C-alpha cells in the first residue's frame, strides 16, 4: 500500500488514532519513524447527559451501526441475531447503516430471510450522523445492547459513540476495542467470529438490568475521560 511507498526523508512522524493502528503502521513502514497515537474526538452530540427516552421501545433492541460491507461484517450480525433468537424471542434487531457496495439490499434481505429474521429485523438507512444518538438512547432505554462485528478498525468510532450514550457494547475481543472496553467492566468482549459466544453475552446483558446499568455507566465514564474534544486537543498539544 501507500505506506510501503513512503521514503524516510519525506516523513517526520505519523499520527494514528489507536495503539492497535500504531503497531499495524509500524509493521508496514519500510523504515523506522515516530508513530503517535492521537485518539479521535467524539462529537458533542454524543456527550450530553443521557436522559429518559420516550416512548420506551416495547422490545429490547439489539443494534448494529456501521456500513453494510464485508469489512464491517454485517453478515456476522445476522448470525448473532439468529443465535440470540434461539435463546429468547423478545429482541428486535436494528441495523442503522448506509447501503454499502453492490446489491446489498437484496443480499441483506435474502440472508435475513434464510436465517428467519425478517419479522425481527429493521434496517434504518440514510440516517444523518446527528440522529444516531437518538437510536443509541432508544437502545439503552429498551434494555438492549449495541453489537459490533467489524473485522478491522483503526479506532472503533461506532463502539465509542455507543459507550458515550451509556449503552452496553458487545464487541470483538481484539484491538482497538480492547484499548477502551474492559470485559465485564465497561463492556463485553467475545472471540472474533464466535457468533454463538456473542449471542450468549448479549442474552446475559438483556437479562440483567443491574449489569447493564453498571457496564453502561462505566462505558460512559471511559469515554468522558479519554475521548472528548478537550482530551483529544490535549493529546495534539503534546504531539
Amino acid at each position: 500500500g501507500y505506506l510501503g511507498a513512503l521514503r524516510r526523508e519525506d516523513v517526520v512522524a505519523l499520527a494514528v488514532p489507536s495503539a492497535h493502528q500504531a503497531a499495524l503502521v509500524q509493521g508496514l513502514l519500510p523504515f523506522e519513524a515516530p508513530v503517535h497515537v492521537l485518539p479521535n474526538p467524539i462529537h458533542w452530540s454524543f456527550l450530553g447527559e443521557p436522559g429518559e427516552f420516550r416512548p420506551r421501545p416495547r422490545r429490547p433492541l439489539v443494534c448494529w451501526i456501521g456500513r453494510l460491507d464485508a469489512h464491517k461484517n454485517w453478515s456476522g450480525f445476522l448470525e448473532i441475531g439468529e443465535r440470540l433468537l434461539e435463546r429468547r424471542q423478545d429482541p428486535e434487531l436494528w441495523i442503522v447503516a448506509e447501503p454499502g457496495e453492490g446489491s446489498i439490499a437484496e443480499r441483506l434481505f435474502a440472508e435475513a430471510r434464510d436465517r428467519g429474521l425478517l419479522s425481527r429485523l429493521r434496517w434504518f438507512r440514510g440516517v444523518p450522523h446527528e440522529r444516531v444518538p437518538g437510536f443509541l438512547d432508544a437502545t439503552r432505554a429498551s434494555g438492549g445492547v449495541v453489537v459490533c462485528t467489524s473485522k478491522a478498525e483503526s479506532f472503533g468510532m461506532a463502539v465509542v459513540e455507543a459507550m458515550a450514550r451509556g449503552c452496553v457494547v458487545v464487541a470483538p475481543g481484539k484491538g482497538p476495542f480492547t484499548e477502551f472496553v474492559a470485559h465485564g467492566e465497561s463492556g463485553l468482549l467475545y472471540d472474533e467470529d464466535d457468533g454463538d459466544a456473542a449471542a450468549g453475552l448479549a442474552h446475559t446483558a438483556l437479562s440483567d438490568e443491574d449489569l447493564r446499568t453498571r457496564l453502561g455507566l462505566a462505558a460512559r465514564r471511559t469515554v468522558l475521560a479519554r475521548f472528548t474534544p478537550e482530551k483529544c486537543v490535549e493529546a495534539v498539544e503534546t504531539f
Side-chain angles (χ1 to χ4, degrees):
Y2 69 91
L3 289 174
L6 292 175
R7 298 180 303 172
R8 181 66 186 90
E9 58 268 26
D10 297 328
V11 176
V12 175
L14 296 165
V16 296
S18 67
H20 169 75
Q21 187 74 358
L24 179 64
V25 167
Q26 287 169 334
L28 294 174
L29 277 177
F31 50 81
E32 291 189 4
V35 180
H36 299 275
V37 177
L38 301 179
N40 290 327
I42 303 304
H43 192 269
W44 66 266
S45 60
F46 291 84
L47 297 176
E49 188 66 29
E52 294 294 322
F53 184 90
R54 291 288 184 268
R56 177 174 177 169
R58 291 177 295 176
R59 296 179 177 275
L61 305 178
V62 180
C63 188
W64 185 96
I65 300 174
R67 186 176 62 253
L68 290 174
D69 59 24
H71 173 74
K72 298 294 185 181
N73 190 23
W74 57 269
S75 182
F77 176 66
L78 296 186
E79 178 193 357
I80 292 170
E82 180 183 14
R83 299 294 182 89
L84 179 60
L85 289 173
E86 291 171 355
R87 292 169 164 85
R88 56 191 301 153
Q89 289 299 305
D90 57 335
E92 189 168 285
L93 310 177
W94 280 14
I95 291 177
V96 182
E98 292 302 307
E101 81 285 354
S103 56
I104 189 65
E106 292 86 353
R107 291 162 52 205
L108 175 61
F109 177 85
E111 183 165 344
R113 178 197 60 210
D114 294 344
R115 291 185 181 276
L117 301 177
L118 291 181
S119 65
R120 283 285 182 265
L121 178 66
R122 292 189 180 188
W123 175 19
F124 298 87
R125 57 191 297 176
V127 176
H129 187 243
E130 61 269 21
R131 297 290 301 277
V132 172
F135 284 85
L136 294 171
D137 289 348
T139 300
R140 185 192 65 251
S142 76
V145 300
V146 173
V147 173
C148 174
T149 54
S150 184
K151 292 183 176 295
E153 293 287 343
S154 61
F155 179 66
M157 181 63 81
V159 173
V160 175
E161 288 175 342
M163 294 171 68
R165 300 311 298 161
C167 291
V168 175
V169 295
V170 180
K174 62 178 185 178
F177 308 113
T178 50
E179 294 178 36
F180 47 81
V181 179
H183 180 68
E185 297 180 17
S186 57
L188 299 170
L189 299 171
Y190 65 95
D191 289 338
E192 186 179 13
D193 297 326
D194 191 344
D196 191 63
L201 291 173
H203 173 61
T204 296
L206 295 178
S207 304
D208 191 335
E209 182 177 1
D210 290 341
L211 176 66
R212 293 195 307 272
T213 299
R214 177 170 61 81
L215 294 180
L217 289 173
R220 180 167 167 79
R221 285 196 300 269
T222 297
V223 173
L224 294 179
R226 297 176 57 184
F227 302 125
T228 64
E230 292 81 4
K231 294 294 183 181
C232 293
V233 167
E234 290 176 9
V236 172
E237 290 175 340
T238 59
F239 177 64

